Amino acid sequence: MLKGKGISDGIGLGTVVLLKKEEIKPEKVKVEEIQTEKEIFQKALHSVQIEIQELIGTLSGTEKEIMQAYVTILQDPTLVEQIIAVIEQEKCNAAYATEIGFGQIIQMLEKIEDSYLAARSKDIADMKKKVLAKILQQEERDVSQLPKNTILVTKELTTSDTAKLDLKNIAGIITQVGIGNSHMAIMARIHEIPAIVIKEEIKQMKENDRIAMNGTTGEIFINPSQEERNKLEEIQKEVKKQKEQLQNYKNQKSSTIDDHTVELLANIGGTEEMDTVLKNTAEGVGLFRSEFLYMNSKDFPSEEEQFESYRKVAEKLQGKRAVIRTLDIGGDKDLKYMKLPKEKNPFLGYRAIRIYLDNVSLFKVQLRAILRASAYGNLAIMLPMISSIEELRKAKNVIEEVKEELRTKQKAFREKIEVGIMIEIPSAAIMAEELAKECDFFSIGTNDLVQYTMAVERGNEKVADLYTHFHPAVIRFIKLAIEGAHKSHILCGMCGEAAGDLDFIPILIGLGLDEFSMNANKILPARKWIKELDFKSCQKLAEEVLSLSSTKEIKQKVKNYLLQEGNLRK
Ligand code: PEP
Ligand code: MG
């Protein structure tokens, strides 16, 4: 048995199809006819563009948007000019110039410590390979038609490969390179295909080997024994059964046995995720991370582009609430075209609302888009990284100014649009009571609240053990936020990852959290679990947890609670 890192859950049983991708490393060749080389390059570029355009016609959702981003990369005049300049200056062959031109951009992106941009550099490297393959007339294996139950084994699966894949016939994906937030991992999860990343051991897998894999545990069995196969088949059956049972929880209220009802909403990063939101019957969108619209764009998305996205979400929800969070950039999320200053402590620096209050005209573009889209449904505005009441007041003043501008222009918008804030900074949790008097709702962002409470950077593996929402200080901050909200009779939700943690949900229910916003695929399991809970016992649990002073004690208390008769999670 081999053990890798599971990046998409599920059991995969099938036969290996090896996708070999030889590195193309073109040599520099001096040429006389630079015009011919320029033409070779332009022709290759053009045919890759056409192929992608044709592919776009067959796609929808995330894959389609990513492919459209690829076309944008290939149409980038800077890139094209750079490659033409290399041919002219070095009097060299098209293949070499392509390698150098793309390479310069890739290197630049790789130097920036940002997982999103690192993923973009992979997209550009993918485009480079395609153009090179065309120039050198080396065509790739067709992955749009694969045999049934294929386990795709390859060093790396790029986004464009993933988009072309014959998904219905893929039982699993094993790669040597990949991270949990790569597009490949995201798409695998969307399509519920198990995926594992494994290092050197990948070489042990040969074409036509039979594979049994568990994307949850990272286990891979090459040519498994009947016993190993049976074991995984059993797990597969169980998962399938559980999923089928979960369908019974669609379109239901999320109420405890003793009839305490909460709302379960979904977090999204783009409109393409709305199908999953609706399929899982979320009671709305509790967090639209609007920064993804900005990050997926080469320049600031226009008011019109943003308006279309927000309107789509509003319309699809047919009256259910959608919370649009204004741009939360900075920290670990960068916008290259914005040229934010490099900071020593980016998480403590120029981020989110701080940037907007400093660039009001930019803030207004997004506000106009949200407000105009609010005429088409039940949209709310959420302000991230609020640390003081002054920031809230300043932001609300800007919102009022934009509303006035729209009134003057006679543009429709929802007059009573709710304005809420994220509680993700300790100062906001401490001042919750005061902040609640001046806004319409809270949403607790535990991802950041944990990092700022514990002084533990959220993506830093070295201190990952200290990062937990089970810490008593975090739980006390959550309590402060909920109590502060309820004193002013406003709703308190949570959109950090903790809201979807089934082990944490009883505490949150007990503390009186009104709304839980999570990955859409987690909604039905969470709803099922909540229906097995008893509000009174959750309140007792929360009370007991609040009297404890260590994470270890709290985790033990929760474990005991889960083991209690009647509370055993099935
Ligand atoms: C959070 O901080 O919990 C949150 C939901 O926001 P993000 O993860 O986008 O920072
Ligand atoms: Mg946050």
Side-chain angles (χ1 to χ4, degrees), residues 7 119 122 157 159 177-187 189:
I7 55 170
K122 290 208 181 310
L157 202 54
T159 317
V177 181
I179 45 172
N181 64 355
S182 66
H183 279 119
M184 184 272 276
I186 293 168
M187 283 197 210
R189 289 197 291 266

Side-chain angles (χ1 to χ4, degrees), residues 432-440 442 481-491:
E433 197 176 321
E434 287 73 12
L435 288 163
K437 290 179 188 151
E438 303 194 23
C439 63
D440 300 316
F442 283 166
I482 298 173
E483 283 180 355
H486 288 175
K487 271 202 180 149
S488 288
H489 309 289
I490 66 165
L491 176 150

Side-chain angles (χ1 to χ4, degrees), residues 342-388:
K342 271 248 167 267
E343 294 175 294
K344 279 203 176 139
N345 286 304
F347 278 115
L348 302 182
Y350 201 49
R351 231 194 115 171
I353 197 72
R354 300 170 183 183
I355 298 180
Y356 259 178
L357 292 177
D358 208 24
N359 295 273
V360 171
S361 53
L362 204 62
F363 189 13
K364 284 188 168 181
V365 175
Q366 184 169 28
L367 290 174
R368 273 197 298 274
I370 304 175
L371 282 165
R372 283 176 48 215
S374 73
Y376 296 83
N378 186 2
L379 295 187
I381 299 173
M382 179 153 74
L383 307 165
M385 288 290 289
I386 291 289
S387 65
S388 69

Side-chain angles (χ1 to χ4, degrees), residues 41-59 67-68 70-75 127 130-131 134 139 160 164:
F41 163 66
Q42 297 278 22
K43 210 172 137 203
L45 188 70
H46 186 63
S47 46
V48 175
Q49 280 172 358
I50 296 209
E51 273 178 20
I52 297 179
Q53 292 283 17
E54 281 169 4
L55 185 63
I56 287 174
T58 67
L59 299 172
M67 285 301 117
Q68 274 159 344
Y70 275 19
V71 175
T72 318
I73 294 174
L74 292 177
Q75 284 170 343
M127 289 298 100
K130 285 188 184 311
V131 177
K134 278 270 175 263
E139 295 304 327
S160 65
K164 267 195 219 162

Side-chain angles (χ1 to χ4, degrees), residues 325 328 333 351 385 422 424 445 447-448 458:
R325 178 173 74 182
D328 182 11
K333 298 177 218 152
R351 231 194 115 171
M385 288 290 289
M422 299 269 307
E424 53 185 342
N447 305 345
D448 276 313
R458 61 195 265 187

Side-chain angles (χ1 to χ4, degrees), residues 96-114:
Y96 180 74
T98 303
E99 173 75 26
I100 300 296
F102 272 98
Q104 282 163 351
I105 295 179
I106 295 163
Q107 263 179 15
M108 200 180 69
L109 288 178
E110 281 174 349
K111 271 197 203 123
I112 306 167
E113 275 187 32
D114 177 299

Side-chain angles (χ1 to χ4, degrees), residues 281-333:
T281 68
E283 286 150 301
V285 165
L287 166 66
F288 182 161
R289 287 185 163 97
S290 69
E291 55 275 11
F292 283 95
L293 293 181
Y294 289 72
M295 282 157 57
N296 285 329
S297 182
K298 267 177 64 192
D299 205 341
F300 289 104
S302 66
E303 178 186 325
E304 225 36 51
E305 282 168 317
Q306 293 191 56
F307 163 74
E308 283 305 331
S309 295
Y310 307 144
R311 188 180 69 154
K312 207 182 265 178
V313 173
E315 285 181 341
K316 288 206 169 204
L317 284 172
Q318 300 185 338
K320 285 185 193 144
R321 188 160 171 267
V323 179
I324 315 289
R325 178 173 74 182
T326 60
L327 183 64
D328 182 11
I329 215 71
D332 57 345
K333 298 177 218 152

